[in-house]
Amino acid sequence: MAAFLQWRRFVFFDRETVKDPIENGKNFILPNGISACDSGRGHIVLGDILIWFLTRSLQLSSFQAYKLRVTHLFQLKQHSILVSVGQDEHGINPLVKVWNTDKRDSGSPLCTRIFPAIPGNKPTEVSCLSVHENLNFMAIGFTDGSVVLTKGDITRDRHSKTLTLHEGNSPVTGLAFRQAGKVTHLFVVNLEKVQCYTLSVKEYPRLELDTHGCALRCSALTDPSQDSQFIVAGNECVYLYQPDERGPCFAFDGHKILVHWHRGYLLLLTQDSKPGFGSKETSPTEKHVLTIYDLDNKFIAYSAAFDDIIDVLAEWGSFYILTRDGKMFVLQEKDTQTKLEMLFKKNLFVMAINLAKSQHLDKDGLSEIFRQYGDHLYVKGDHDGAIQQYIRTIGKLEPSYVIRKFLDAQRIHNLTAYLQALHRQSLANADHTTLLLNCYTKLKDSSKLEEFIKSSESEVHFDVEIAIKVLRQAGYHSHAVFLAEKHAHHEWYLKIQLEDLKNYQEALRYIGRLPFEQAETNMKHYGKTLMHHVPESTTVLLKKLCTDYQPKNGVPHFIPIFANNPRELHAFLEHMIKVEPFSPQGVYDTLLELRLQDWAHEQDPEKKEVLQRAALSLLRSDNTVFDKALVLCQMHSFKEGVLYLYEKGKLYQQIMHYHMQNEEYSKVVEACKHYGNQEVCLWEQALGYFARKEEDCKAYISEVLQHIDLNNLMPPLLVVQTLAHNSTATLSVIKDYLINKLQRESQQIEEDERKIRQYREETANLRSEIQELRTSAKIFQKTKCTMCNSPLELPSVHFLCGHSFHQHCFESYAESEAECPTCTPENRKVMDMLRAQDQKRDLHDHFNRQLRGSNDGFSVVADYFGRGVFNKLTLITDPPGAKAGPGSLEADLQRDLLIHTKRNV
């Protein structure tokens, strides 16, 4: 129970007397004898003998609804339907009429239904009336305690039915419908009880809520924002009811005359004396006190005395007070900002906050109230209370406004609370995170610090990297490591573990759990440090990374980590080529270098032999880069490797030069024998090499000369000139060579002379044959076809060359009608040689002219060489000593010999 005497009183309404708009300055006068009134749908409805409609512009209109008087009016808020109760004749015979105010009948609202208000056979007076907004229920209360319920369309007789819902001995003083979803309730109150009927259930079950009631017009229904509770105003208390129980009550003293509820306000009209039931008359000296309560915020919004109030109606956003003397007053509610300023002046900030919330003030407005309240508490010295209000401004008020007030060391715990709230709402920046962590460290509040950094991301949001930096700087390394690991800041985690905590094994364990790309990056960055302190574990991790993840290009990047650890590097690389034979060439190159280093430093012959075989096997695997491997072998004087690579690269001259540098004479000769067929100049170089030696190299020179002579690799003169520089090479060394050479030259001369004689004889025969063909007839005596070797039959084809063909064979195989198919291939070769001979003659003259006129003779020679001008060509020439004359054969005669004409027989 709430005692209203403790409630603060305010004047949140402005009172004015309504003036007549036509007669300026005069009060608006209501019609006389008002017996009923209501409001809704944009007008105030009044009833006496007539029913009056008052518009917002204070225009009155009326129509006669009853012949005697109107006793009750009910205006629906969602429909243009007005329900009235009145009398058309004397006696107790009330009539209910339903009016449609949107439709007209002879200038008056259309009456859609009329029926008598009688609960049974005994007439009785109507005490109260209520209509459901869905137009399906109407309840009429009577002074004999009865309640009549009309169910169905209340605007039509044939679509509804009427029944007596309630009977009793006490007059019914109030009715109200409550709709909650699909459930409909009817509250019924009389002078003795409060009851509730459930109309959505067929039997209409009844529940008694209380054993005391109220007077007429002392009940009302709250709006849905207050859960549509039923208000019953007794003389001592005001009670609120749910359909199944009694709710809160308020101790508002005074005799209640009228109760209304509108937009969160409870309106109570009270007086000191207590009139009888149904009496609307009061003593002329009696004052009515109108009080407006805000039940949510527990204050009195307005209270004032009036003379004999008929009713208080809510319309057009204001309260209209109708008095018996014909006056009308209006109570206009002050705007929210004005009410808040009134509360601020009295430092009633809590009440201002509650009022702002009930008035649905926006967040900016609420934030400003919280700020002012916080400032007020701060000035009073209540820093704990102030910080709580400032926390409620987060998101609207600039955080620096609050932070500056609490930077004093004595208020650091308040600042910490504010910064925590700022982070919980995800509105903190990097500076706020830094400041909060510094507060924790200054307070040495490890528990709060742990709670902050271990909170879930849904609870607290902050800049993790900034937090890690601050914690690291403050020496909270374990907290910083936890935060870095939780939020996957791998670089910070490893930096702290290695640089601050020196925990190398833990850093290795952490890297081993990362994806390969991240593990690779961190190993490149911290690998040398880890290798220096924990070489074995680091090597194991690198093996695991490169084995499990199988990075084809990642291994060479790890090699620099082993810069000062060759033993571990050797083990790592050996492991890699074993598990991954197709490792990058850089792996094999580095491993070759390590194996050669071991071979070079090994003193034990047996071990050295093993290391040599290992190095050679690596070279033979073809996985190393040729140039790098050659340089490494040369650097370490690895003879077998150098020779192998020379041979692999077909660098035969380098092989021989290598033996020459080492004065390995027999190896020089062996190299010539082995590679001389691929590169014939080796023999010439070998001869020059031995010729420059002053030692006795006769045996080697003789062997070389033998091969040069056998394969005719050098002119004899060049051989003699080469050996002339050697003082030990006497004539006896080359005597056999020269004799053999001269004998072969003599034999060649004899062979050439024989061929010359043969060519001359053949030429003479040809000339004779040509002359004979020109001067004598040719007799064709062939009896068989040259092509098919069958006996010749007419028609046949004969050529001067002596070949004969069937005509069908000739047409099948001949490429040209003028050429013998048998002789054509050989003739073409000859013709091509002749044409080339002509071109060469022309080219020779042109080449000489161009060479003499050019500044760069070498370019001219190179150009002609590229065009194949200097290629060897066999030409047909005249016999030596033949002279051109009138009797000489001309060029066209030679062509006639080669191209035989066809003659059909």
Side-chain angles (χ1 to χ4, degrees), residues 434 436-444 446 449 466-480 496 500:
T434 303
L436 176 59
L437 294 174
N438 284 330
C439 290
Y440 284 141
T441 55
K442 288 183 179 180
L443 291 172
K444 300 189 181 302
S446 298
L449 179 59
I466 291 296
I468 294 172
K469 290 181 181 178
V470 174
L471 292 171
R472 186 188 184 200
Q473 187 176 5
Y476 285 80
H477 296 124
S478 60
H479 295 78
I496 297 171
D500 300 325

Side-chain angles (χ1 to χ4, degrees), residues 30-95:
L30 295 169
N32 292 325
I34 295 175
S35 57
C37 52
D38 201 355
S39 63
R41 306 296 292 179
H43 52 246
I44 293 175
V45 187
L46 308 172
D48 47 19
I49 296 177
L50 305 175
I51 293 179
W52 297 82
F53 291 99
L54 178 64
T55 65
R56 189 168 190 175
S57 60
L58 301 181
Q59 299 295 319
L60 275 171
S61 61
S62 65
F63 71 95
Q64 186 166 359
Y66 298 91
K67 296 178 181 179
L68 295 182
R69 66 173 183 147
V70 178
T71 59
H72 295 82
L73 291 171
F74 193 97
Q75 174 65 57
L76 276 79
K77 303 300 184 287
Q78 300 176 15
H79 303 276
S80 297
I81 299 297
L82 174 65
V83 180
S84 63
V85 180
Q87 295 178 346
D88 280 339
E89 57 186 27
H90 294 283
I92 304 174
N93 50 1
L95 288 176

